[in-house]
Amino acid sequence: MGVSTDISVVIAGAGLSGLCLAQYLMRAGIDVHVYERDPGPFVRRQGYRIILDRYGLEALRESLPRVLYDLALTTGNEPGGQLRFTDSRLRDAFSITFKDDPYATRQVDRLTLRSILQSGLHQRIHYGKDAVAVENGGPAGLRLRFADGGAASATVVVGADGVGSALRAQLMPDADPENTPMAGIYGRSPLHRNGQSVIPDALRTSGVLAIGDRPGRAFFFTSMRFGENPQEAFARLAPGSYAPTGYDYVMWGLLLRQEEVPVGIRGDLLALWRQASLMSGDFHPLVRRLVGTAELDATVLNLFATGRRPHRWAVPRATMMGDAVHVMPPFGAHGGNTALRDAALLGRKLVEARMSGAPMEEAIARYQNEMVPYAFRAVDTAARLMRRLTGDAAAPHWVLTRVLPRLHRVTVPEA
């Protein structure tokens, strides 16, 4: 389909939601450009495995060309059927078994998914462009202004620039995120060592959240197994697109209080890894081995925050998506799915308005009115689960770590 310039859209941020929206609009023939503050596409880690639920999968199916959607499915895999809650020695407290149709969810590697979402957009993604403000004016009605003094004109401006959004204070002046007491130091470790899986068979299809002996401390880990090697799948389905190296791995995260992460080490990968190693010392030997074999350059610090509902949108033809609006703690696998859902919803509203001749302001208002309720249900759910699992309440913690594990046999021997 050819690209029409009667309506133009600029997006600040080349994360999952920004790229997904760009794919949607490109398929519909709408002129779209994405501006990203990073100097290149893969200069920093932005997470590892994510589980796509029915909303995330439907957003990709609606937004991507069929071949790219198939590429996401074939490089992904089934996510496993259980989430185990254990004590620090990996003795079960309880488990949640997921009843979903195995085809209704998919585990995918975030870097691989981002590569898929970039496919076909390379002339429309502009790196090293730090968006700082939206201005009225220009031939299309709005301008997205950058820190280097440049600007891009468009009919519609979309902020998808993450939790640290520079546009949020202008576009949603009453909705700065609220900090939480919690943080996570995340890492990635090879799944196989000497040809053997480091994860015991008993945990092969499980994610594990091990509750620490002291409140406010926990350790999460789960396996990422690719369905098809990304480089082989890209060569077959999307030749010419960047294919990241894909090998099976374990993603893990040490959950701790923000006050336990000194400000001076927050940008130091080696210091963060050492902190994770030190603070996981009381956990099961398997946990300690995962931290000990981690890839240093894959270390990520996440200071958990929760978005606040916007009550005023200051620029009628500008809006926001993803973590820039509704950042949430990583409990429940809602963040990435909600961001993709935003992208497909906004794309649909803009395309419908273009086809009907309705004002873009009305399309954006309809998107915002529909997005805010589902997004902040997800925020509230994630925040509530975080408080339950990491809060200071002595009785629930005692039940999780002292009572329930004694009712189950040992799942992973410590030898």
Side-chain angles (χ1 to χ4, degrees), residues 145-335:
R145 184 161 56 83
F146 306 112
D148 61 9
S153 296
T155 313
V156 172
V157 173
V158 180
D161 48 343
V163 62
S165 171
L167 303 181
R168 183 174 47 243
Q170 178 186 3
L171 303 185
M172 304 188 325
D174 61 350
D176 276 348
E178 182 178 357
N179 199 23
T180 79
M182 298 300 297
I185 300 176
Y186 290 88
R188 186 175 80 171
S189 306
L191 177 59
H192 295 98
R193 187 176 183 184
N194 298 324
Q196 300 293 320
S197 172
V198 300
I199 300 299
D201 285 345
L203 302 180
R204 188 181 187 281
T205 60
S206 302
V208 176
L209 181 66
I211 308 298
D213 294 336
R214 54 176 291 182
R217 185 79 53 79
F219 193 95
F220 173 79
F221 64 91
T222 190
S223 303
M224 173 64 211
R225 294 176 171 87
F226 289 91
E228 182 177 347
N229 179 280
Q231 293 187 322
E232 296 174 2
F234 271 72
R236 182 168 57 84
L237 295 172
S241 296
Y242 172 76
T245 301
Y247 61 87
D248 297 346
Y249 60 84
V250 181
M251 67 160 286
W252 55 262
L254 174 71
L255 310 183
L256 69 171
R257 300 202 178 280
Q258 290 193 21
E259 64 193 31
E260 297 178 298
V261 187
V263 173
I265 74 168
R266 292 182 179 182
D268 185 331
L269 300 186
L270 178 59
L272 287 170
W273 174 80
R274 286 174 172 163
Q275 186 79 347
S277 182
L278 175 67
M279 302 190 79
S280 60
D282 292 337
F283 283 82
H284 190 282
L286 173 59
V287 169
R288 300 199 300 271
R289 286 195 296 272
L290 290 176
V291 177
T293 57
E295 304 167 26
L296 180 60
D297 65 352
T299 307
V300 174
L301 174 66
N302 183 1
L303 303 177
F304 300 164
T306 55
R308 292 193 294 175
R309 285 171 174 77
H311 298 287
R312 183 165 73 91
W313 299 87
V315 181
R317 280 189 290 112
T319 191
M320 307 193 79
M321 307 186 296
D323 283 354
V325 186
H326 46 67
V327 64
M328 61 191 79
F331 290 80
H334 299 298

Side-chain angles (χ1 to χ4, degrees), residues 33 46 50 64-65 76 94 119 129 143 157 165-166 168 215-216 240-242 247 326 330 337 366 375:
H33 287 263
Q46 299 183 22
I50 61 174
L64 291 174
F94 66 95
S119 296
K129 305 296 287 187
R143 283 194 301 258
V157 173
S165 171
R168 183 174 47 243
S241 296
Y242 172 76
Y247 61 87
H326 46 67
N337 288 290
R366 288 195 292 271

Side-chain angles (χ1 to χ4, degrees), residues 111-124:
L111 179 62
T112 303
L113 179 59
R114 196 158 179 245
S115 296
I116 293 168
L117 289 168
Q118 289 173 0
S119 296
L121 296 177
H122 300 298
Q123 301 304 313
R124 295 182 175 272

